[in-house]
Every structure is written in C-alpha cells, then in structure tokens.
Amino acid sequence: MQGIGFRPQIFKCAVAENISGFASNDADGVHVYFNTLTDEAANIFSQKIIQEAPSLAIIRSWTLSATDEQSFSDFSIRVIENNVAADVLIAPDFAMCPECKQEFHDPLNRRYQYGFITCTLCGPRYSIMKQLPYERHLTTMEPFTLCNNCKAEYEDVHDRRYFSQTNSCPDCGVRLSWHANSGVNFSGNQQEILQTLLQALSEGKIIAVKGIGGFLLMCDASNQSAIQTLRQRKQRPKKPFAVLFPELEVAREYVKLHPVAIHSLLSEAAPIVLLKATKKSFEELDMNGIAPGLSTIGVMLPYAPLLEMIGTHWKKPLIATSGNLSGSCIVFQSENKQALFQFADFILDHNRPIVVPQDDSVIRFGQFSHQPILLRRSRGLAPAIISETTNSDASIFAAGAMMKSAFAIYHNHQFYLSQYSGNLESYDAQQNYLHTFHHFEKLLALKPSVMLADLHPDYPSTKIAEQMAVQLNVPIKKIQHHEAHFAAILGEHDLFRMDEKILGIIWDGTGLGSDGNSWGGEFFIYEKGNLTRAYYLEPIINLAGDKIAREPRIAALAIAGDLLEAASILRPKFSDLEWNFYRKALSQPAIQTSSVGRYFDGVASLLNLVNMNSYEGEAALLLEKYADDYFEEHGPEINSHYFNEEIAAPEIRMHGVIESIVNDIHSNVPVATVSALFHNSMAAIIRNVAVKEGIQKIAFSGGVFQNAVLVDLIHLQLEPNFKIYFHQQLSPNDECIAFGQLMHYLNIN
C-alpha cells in the first residue's frame, strides 16, 4: 500500500545497516535495489525491512532476488515513472495522527492551528490521488510548492516528514476561504475566518465545511431551531444526523463509550461510531432533532485538522452531516459549491481539490458481543480490501446493486472496492458512480474483460454494466443478489477452500430471485464450489410492489392480513378505499417475497411504531431500539421466543410467530418485550436450521444483520457450539454485493 511512509522507513533501515542502494514506488508496489557482499546479508536486510515496516503497511507478498550488478555510493529514494500496470493496494485517507495533533496544539510549533497539517503517517491519500504511483506531483498537492522549511523536512532523513508527499505549512500550503450567498467572501486569514465561523455558529447558522471527501453541513447540536432548519433544507425529516465532538473526553459525557468503540474512534479510519446517548445528551442536546425516536448518537471525532481547529474553538458538539440533498451525492468540488447555499448560510472552502467524493464511514457494535457492524464503508476504509488472491488473469468489473451502491474491480490479482455511492435511483448518484469508475480506469489503466451485474434488469448498475459490455465488446454475467451476498462473506473469510459444508444466512429487504419472486429470507448451503438454496422464510404477497418497503403498514397487512385477530390493529392504518383495495390485492396472484426486512417492518407497524418510513430502515431501527431497551434492563439472556414450528425444507413457516405477536399486542404485553421476543425468535430460527442440517459453520450477510440486537442474540444462541462468521471489512448491506459478484464468478461452479 502506497502513501504510508514505507520508502522513508526503508531509507532509515539502510542507513542504520550501512547499506547502499535506492527505494522507489512503482505501480506494482515498493522496489528496493541494494548492494551486499553475501546472500546472508541480503536476507538479513530484507527481513529488517519487513519487520520494521510502518504500522499501516499491508505486505501481501515479497521476493528477494539477485539482479545484474550495479554499484551505489549511498542509499536514496527515487521517483520513477513507467507504464507498468497498477498492481498495488490504494491507501485510504488517514485521520490526523497523535504526533501531528500534538504539533497542531503547540503554540511554539510553526504549524500551530494549521488546518492541513500532515505527515508520512496521516492525511489525505485516495481523495487526492490523480494517478499511480503515489507521488506529490501526481496528487492535488502538485500546485503547492514547498517553502524552504518544508523542503528541508522533506529531504531530511531524520525528520518524520521525510518524503511526505502531502507536506505543507501555513507559508506554502492550503488556503481557506469564506463565502456568503450575498457574495461577501474573504480568504487567506485563517484566524479571521475562524472567528467569523464561530460567530455564525453561535447565531444558529448552518455552515458548509469542505472536509476530506466533500462538504459537511455543520450547526450547533443544541440549537433546536438550527437543526430543524437543516432538516427542512435537506428534506430529511427524521433520519439521524452525526455529531462531531471536539475530543474523546467531551464525547464521554454524552455517550456510553466502551473500549472497542474508543479504539475505532481513535483509529486511522476514524469512522462515525453509533453509541448509546447518556442522560446529558437528552438534557443538553436536541436529541429529538438529532435522532428522532432513537437513543443513539453517531459520534464523530475530528479526523482532519480543519475539523480539529473548529472543534477546539467551538468546544461543544456540532451536527456534521453530508453536504447534499437527502438521497443525492455529497458536494465535493469547489466549483459546484454554489449549490450548497440551498442548505448552508455560509461556506468554508479551501483550495486543495478533491479527486473523488466520500461520505464518512459508519460503524456500530453489538451491546454485549461487541461484534463490529460496518454500516457504511467509505472515507478512511475505501478502496483497500484485503482478500486472498486467485490465479485468474481476468480483469473484471462488478457493478454491484442499486441501494447502498458500490462497485468492485479485480485487476492484476488485486481486489478494489469503491466507496459507498448512495442510492442509484438518484441521477447524481449515478454520475458519482461513473466519475469514480473513470477515476479507477485512469489509476489502474483498466480495461475489463468481463462485466458482472445483478439479475435485476432495472437496476441502474445493471444497465451501466450492460452498456459498458457493449462498448468494450466483452461478455456480461448476471449473478443472483443473495448468492452474491453469500459469496461476499465466504470470500472475506476465505471459506471457499473449506471441505465441510457452510450454512449461509442471507437476510435483507429485497433482491430478485432466480424464480422471478423477491427474495430476502434465504438459507444457502455451500460445499466444494456448489451453492444451494436450502430454505427460505414463508413468502408473503409483495403487496403494492416497491411501496411495501416504504410503508410498514402494508408489510403489516401482508404478514398478518389473514389473521382475524389482527383486523382491529390493521384497519385504522388505512382509509376505506385503501383497505378494500389492499384486501382484494391479497387474494390475487402476485409476486411473493421471503424478505426478512418486510417481516421487521410489518412487526414494527403492528406495534404501532411507524406506518410510513421517512427514511430507509426507519421501522427496523425503531423496533430494534425497543428490543435494545429490554435487554439493557433485563440483560442479554432470554429463553423465550415465538418460534415453535418444525423445520422442514424448503419453507420456514412464520404464521405462528405473527399470530403470537398479535395475541401479545391484544394482551397489552409491553412493546419492548414483544420486540425482544421477536428478535430472539429470528435467532432461534437460525439455530434450529443449523441443528436440523448438522452444519457447524454459519456465515451471515444482508442488511438485516446491521441490527446489533439480532447479532448479539445470534452470538448468544449459537456460540460456542457453532463457528459463526460476520463481515469485518465489508458492510453486510448491499455495499458488499459487488465484491460478492467477483467472488461468485471466481469460485462458484
């Protein structure tokens, strides 16, 4: 992986061992040429390079061989460019390191409060990289000529900024500028801009701030009026906002931290971490504006020095959300910033271009298992993906899905997975998707020989892949959605080589099945290159088509409409016209769905938590919140559930579960208890299938497994009798589909 200070570290090793030669970046990795008198000395030096590699290094393989004789008088770092096809991992953007943070806060340091301080271990990489290899003149740092002081650091082997490609300071570096919609703007004077920004925040204004991957919209997290204005402007009535805390100790007052969350927040990726809010959050912040109906906060720490500057001086929590209209892509180019004035009162810009846009990565953890669950894989994580390579020499493009879109590339035996690109229903998202693809084309000199896509003919990603296949005159293969999910988790954990059977639990909202129906509650079995759909949840009518995913009340009618006891719960949710129409539709032949997502939606509506989603997954989040409340009060151990059916292939009946829920609702059983029992029922179904099949290894993928309560219950019910696998590098949602398409193509018969 380039951009992590490997060459400077090799230089230091060489000087320490009195070795002459040179190190260089190439499109296929780091190359080192050196002189030694013996093979033993060469081996010792090589081992020293590997053992003392930078902490961010990912060494996939290395070789040592003799070359034609060359003589070197000293050791140096060389910049070499050639036309070798890229065969190297691309570094993501790294959060500010502790050393830079210390300098940032040191009044005696020449980079004191400089909003773009970096070194060889931190700062932007992927977002500023125009070409490979990673050299300053091939990034958007090219226009910034090093001053004498920065140049001296860059050339000093003993300096930690030796050969740092992003090196700059207030004298030669990136400049801030302040913009108002009225046309008032000024630039250059960082202190004046900062004071103007702080005053605007104190007045309840919304500021668009250019970050690492695009513009963030920021306002006071305690100002109800400002937050409501932001929601109206973004057309985002209820979807939660992330909150930027100035430092970890401030966040500790507002959320419940635990060691794995702290490690994640302070990591090089520095994602947003979802954490339980404390009493202080409800007292001092506008929690109803931040996360309506929920008790968690998406916590962000300042990963970029510019955010550190703002947070340090504001000292309080700030809303920090993507600069875009809900459903569209983040604005990332300064030349397009005028569009931000539909959301923001002012804009804080800078003059370092961003090559590819990225939202912030988002992660959460199981309350009891602390299982990591990646919700969005983007800034700080993309595009690197660590996976076992294959022998295939093909160059493959996998287009992915529609929701939570991302594409994947297999090229020169390396895997690349793009950052999250949003919902491709949006034209902006499609343009962003293509912009990022063309960037990879340039970086990798990519000419795909095979195209992969989802079975669904109306997915924009599928249409894009079809168009590319025609343009390039290459074949296209379409892969079933849930089989791709299963292949993604198998590939991530290198399970294709296992001799024993593996049970795959693939639960999500929807995906076109090979039988023409909508799938989403699937149980697959993989064995030695063969994948079989063995079980699925009892299908329901996919009532009203795509509308069922947006209106949990329709899902409730679909799962409980045949129960007389449910009529009194369901009827008030519909007008007379709607009731008659949907009841009639239930009796007509129609596409069916086995979607677990629709069962979660339907139960949430039966419990009267929500009838119309204002954002994707709202019903499931609210249902999970009540289950989480139950387990926080009573502990994780729960022996009761609603599932008492015999497991018989292929259909797993859900009728008894829904009937029991309806009866408990009529018996006034608390919502939290019903939700907890339903979640535990779903975990019990998985355990019962595993026992029935006698399979010890179980792998999980699909958006339903973003549910931390369900993941905790699976751990409790299955361990230690079963070996279970969840995603670690990938999100279980549709972001992993593209990687799964690659893995399916390369490994499934």
Side-chain angles (χ1 to χ4, degrees):
M1 184 181 289
Q2 298 183 355
I4 57 169
F6 210 154
R7 289 176 298 171
Q9 181 60 30
I10 293 169
F11 186 103
K12 293 173 184 177
C13 289
V15 171
E17 297 298 317
N18 198 28
I19 296 286
S20 296
F22 72 88
S24 67
N25 270 345
D26 211 330
D28 61 346
V30 179
H31 290 242
V32 188
Y33 289 82
F34 60 95
N35 294 144
T36 57
L37 295 176
T38 65
D39 289 348
E40 181 182 7
N43 278 306
I44 290 172
F45 180 55
S46 299
Q47 289 294 336
K48 185 177 180 67
I49 289 173
I50 301 304
Q51 292 167 4
E52 298 183 11
S55 60
L56 297 174
I58 299 171
I59 301 173
R60 297 287 298 274
S61 63
W62 64 279
T63 59
L64 174 67
S65 60
T67 69
D68 293 338
E69 186 172 329
Q70 299 180 60
S71 179
F72 306 103
S73 59
D74 57 10
F75 200 91
S76 63
I77 293 176
R78 296 185 184 178
V79 176
I80 297 175
E81 291 185 50
N82 57 39
N83 295 320
V84 176
D87 180 14
V88 66
L89 294 172
I90 298 171
D93 298 307
F94 298 120
M96 183 167 57
C97 69
E99 289 83 1
C100 282
K101 186 173 181 178
Q102 184 178 10
E103 290 179 352
F104 179 89
H105 289 288
D106 180 4
L108 300 180
N109 191 281
R110 69 189 190 90
R111 291 187 177 86
Y112 176 61
Q113 299 286 301
Y114 174 51
F116 303 91
I117 186 171
T118 66
C119 69
T120 54
L121 294 179
C122 69
R125 299 293 190 268
Y126 174 53
S127 64
I128 64 168
M129 196 182 297
K130 295 190 291 185
Q131 288 181 238
L132 287 172
Y134 177 69
E135 304 289 0
R136 186 182 182 99
H137 69 283
L138 299 178
T139 73
T140 59
M141 289 300 297
E142 179 187 14
F144 303 96
T145 303
L146 293 172
C147 66
N148 290 336
N149 287 330
C150 286
K151 191 171 187 292
E153 292 171 335
Y154 185 83
E155 295 174 348
D156 182 0
V157 65
H158 301 294
D159 195 285
R160 67 187 191 86
R161 291 190 173 85
Y162 175 56
F163 237 71
S164 171
Q165 305 303 326
T166 54
N167 197 24
S168 69
C169 75
D171 293 331
C172 64
V174 185
R175 294 283 189 270
L176 293 173
S177 59
W178 180 261
H179 305 264
N181 199 17
S182 61
V184 177
N185 65 82
F186 52 92
S187 63
N189 189 326
Q190 180 173 295
Q191 199 57 37
E192 183 181 2
I193 289 173
L194 176 61
Q195 292 306 314
T196 304
L197 178 145
L198 296 174
Q199 180 63 33
L201 287 173
S202 68
E203 294 172 356
K205 302 300 184 183
I206 297 165
I207 318 297
V209 178
K210 189 177 182 182
I212 296 293
F215 285 89
L216 293 173
L217 298 173
M218 308 183 78
C219 68
D220 183 354
S222 65
N223 189 318
Q224 182 179 359
S225 176
I227 295 172
Q228 189 57 39
T229 298
L230 179 57
R231 288 202 173 279
Q232 290 171 352
R233 291 177 182 177
K234 273 181 68 79
Q235 299 177 27
R236 183 170 170 163
K238 292 184 178 179
K239 189 175 181 180
F241 286 140
V243 177
L244 176 74
F245 292 87
E247 59 179 340
L248 185 69
E249 292 311 307
V250 175
R252 195 184 299 276
E253 301 173 26
Y254 292 90
V255 294
K256 297 177 181 178
L257 290 169
H258 49 79
V260 291
I262 293 171
H263 181 267
S264 185
L265 284 166
L266 298 179
S267 70
E268 294 87 358
I272 296 169
V273 179
L274 265 59
L275 294 165
K276 294 275 285 188
T278 63
K279 183 180 179 182
K280 184 171 183 177
S281 288
F282 288 92
E283 291 174 344
E284 296 188 7
L285 304 182
D286 177 25
M287 276 298 294
N288 189 53
I290 292 168
L294 302 175
S295 56
T296 55
I297 295 176
V299 175
M300 180 195 298
L301 295 182
Y303 53 83
L306 181 57
L307 298 181
E308 181 78 13
M309 181 182 76
I310 295 170
T312 296
H313 290 273
W314 179 251
K315 300 179 181 179
K316 297 178 293 182
L318 285 164
I319 297 294
T321 187
S322 300
N324 61 352
L325 192 67
S326 185
S328 298
C329 291
I330 187 170
V331 176
F332 70 101
Q333 294 170 316
S334 292
E335 52 265 38
N336 295 332
K337 66 175 174 283
Q338 194 66 26
L340 290 165
F341 282 119
Q342 61 185 303
F343 317 116
D345 299 299
F346 301 99
I347 296 172
L348 178 58
D349 196 6
H350 62 73
N351 63 338
R352 184 181 64 203
I354 298 170
V355 178
V356 285
Q358 298 175 90
D359 288 282
D360 293 302
S361 294
V362 184
I363 194 170
R364 68 185 308 195
F365 298 91
Q367 181 181 176
F368 302 105
S369 67
H370 287 163
Q371 171 73 48
I373 305 169
L374 191 56
L375 304 181
R376 186 166 69 200
R377 182 183 176 278
S378 199
R379 192 264 312 151
L381 296 174
I385 181 77
I386 310 304
S387 179
E388 291 296 319
T389 57
T390 74
N391 295 324
S392 174
D393 292 325
S395 182
I396 310 169
F397 172 76
M402 180 173 73
M403 305 288 286
K404 310 269 195 303
S405 67
F407 62 77
I409 293 166
Y410 176 74
H411 182 70
N412 282 347
H413 303 278
Q414 295 281 7
F415 291 95
Y416 305 91
L417 181 61
S418 78
Q419 70 274 23
Y420 159 85
S421 293
N423 181 353
L424 291 184
E425 284 182 323
S426 159
Y427 174 77
D428 285 347
Q430 291 176 34
Q431 294 302 111
N432 176 34
Y433 178 99
L434 289 170
H435 171 84
T436 305
F437 170 73
H438 292 315
H439 179 56
F440 272 92
E441 271 190 314
K442 184 177 180 181
L443 281 179
L444 305 176
L446 178 68
K447 294 182 179 179
S449 56
V450 180
M451 295 285 177
L452 306 178
D454 193 272
L455 275 182
H456 202 300
D458 294 329
Y459 278 2
S461 56
T462 301
K463 293 180 178 180
I464 288 170
E466 289 172 338
Q467 292 166 3
M468 289 182 180
V470 172
Q471 291 168 0
L472 297 172
N473 192 28
V474 298
I476 183 169
K477 180 178 174 60
K478 296 184 179 180
I479 295 169
Q480 200 279 322
H481 189 92
H482 301 92
E483 291 187 12
H485 265 302
F486 192 19
I489 186 69
L490 291 172
E492 185 177 348
H493 289 279
D494 194 24
L495 298 176
F496 285 108
R497 302 174 190 179
M498 289 280 182
D499 289 330
E500 57 196 289
K501 291 181 180 180
I502 301 169
L503 179 64
I505 315 299
I506 314 301
W507 289 357
D508 66 0
T510 186
L512 180 62
S514 55
D515 62 359
N517 286 306
S518 173
W519 293 3
E522 313 312 307
F523 298 74
F524 292 101
I525 295 175
Y526 172 80
E527 185 178 22
K528 297 179 180 178
N530 295 305
L531 192 153
T532 305
R533 185 190 187 210
Y535 299 88
Y536 49 85
L537 247 57
E538 179 179 352
I540 58 174
I541 297 294
N542 196 51
L543 197 59
D546 292 342
K547 197 175 181 182
I548 193 173
R550 298 191 295 270
E551 299 186 19
R553 62 177 187 150
I554 297 177
L557 182 59
I559 66 173
D562 62 341
L563 296 173
L564 292 176
E565 301 89 343
S568 60
I569 301 171
L570 294 168
R571 182 63 185 85
K573 301 177 187 296
F574 300 92
S575 68
D576 291 342
L577 184 63
E578 289 174 329
W579 181 255
N580 292 331
F581 175 79
Y582 288 130
R583 290 287 298 173
K584 184 177 181 181
L586 278 176
S587 64
Q588 303 295 319
I591 291 174
Q592 296 187 316
T593 180
S594 57
S595 169
V596 175
R598 300 297 78 80
Y599 274 101
F600 271 82
D601 287 350
V603 171
S605 179
L606 288 172
L607 291 169
N608 214 31
L609 301 180
V610 62
N611 290 317
M612 303 272 199
N613 280 337
S614 67
Y615 59 90
E616 185 201 359
E618 181 180 6
L621 272 176
L622 291 170
L623 188 64
E624 181 191 357
K625 185 263 183 190
Y626 279 92
D628 189 55
D629 290 346
Y630 176 92
F631 290 117
E632 187 167 35
E633 180 180 352
H634 299 283
E637 300 294 340
I638 180 172
N639 296 319
S640 301
H641 55 76
Y642 295 126
F643 186 74
N644 297 301
E645 304 282 349
E646 287 291 328
I647 298 294
E651 188 176 305
I652 297 171
R653 285 183 53 76
M654 291 292 291
H655 186 273
V657 171
I658 303 305
E659 187 174 34
S660 297
I661 289 172
V662 170
N663 290 337
D664 274 0
I665 291 171
H666 284 304
S667 299
N668 295 317
V669 175
V671 170
T673 303
V674 176
S675 181
L677 290 172
F678 172 67
H679 278 77
N680 204 41
S681 301
M682 302 308 287
I685 290 171
I686 294 168
R687 184 198 62 220
N688 289 4
V689 171
V691 170
K692 172 80 172 179
E693 289 293 328
I695 298 177
Q696 297 301 307
K697 288 184 166 57
I698 311 174
F700 300 85
S701 188
V704 168
F705 297 111
Q706 296 174 122
N707 184 315
V709 168
L710 180 60
V711 167
D712 274 346
L713 292 171
I714 288 168
H715 275 281
L716 287 167
Q717 289 215 27
L718 271 64
E719 291 178 329
N721 299 319
F722 299 89
K723 174 65 176 175
I724 60 178
Y725 301 89
F726 286 100
H727 288 292
Q728 300 284 343
Q729 297 185 69
L730 305 172
S731 172
N733 66 38
D734 280 4
E735 285 179 44
C736 77
I737 287 289
F739 180 73
Q741 290 168 346
L742 287 178
M743 285 294 172
H744 191 288
Y745 179 82
L746 293 168
N747 294 283
I748 302 293
N749 294 333

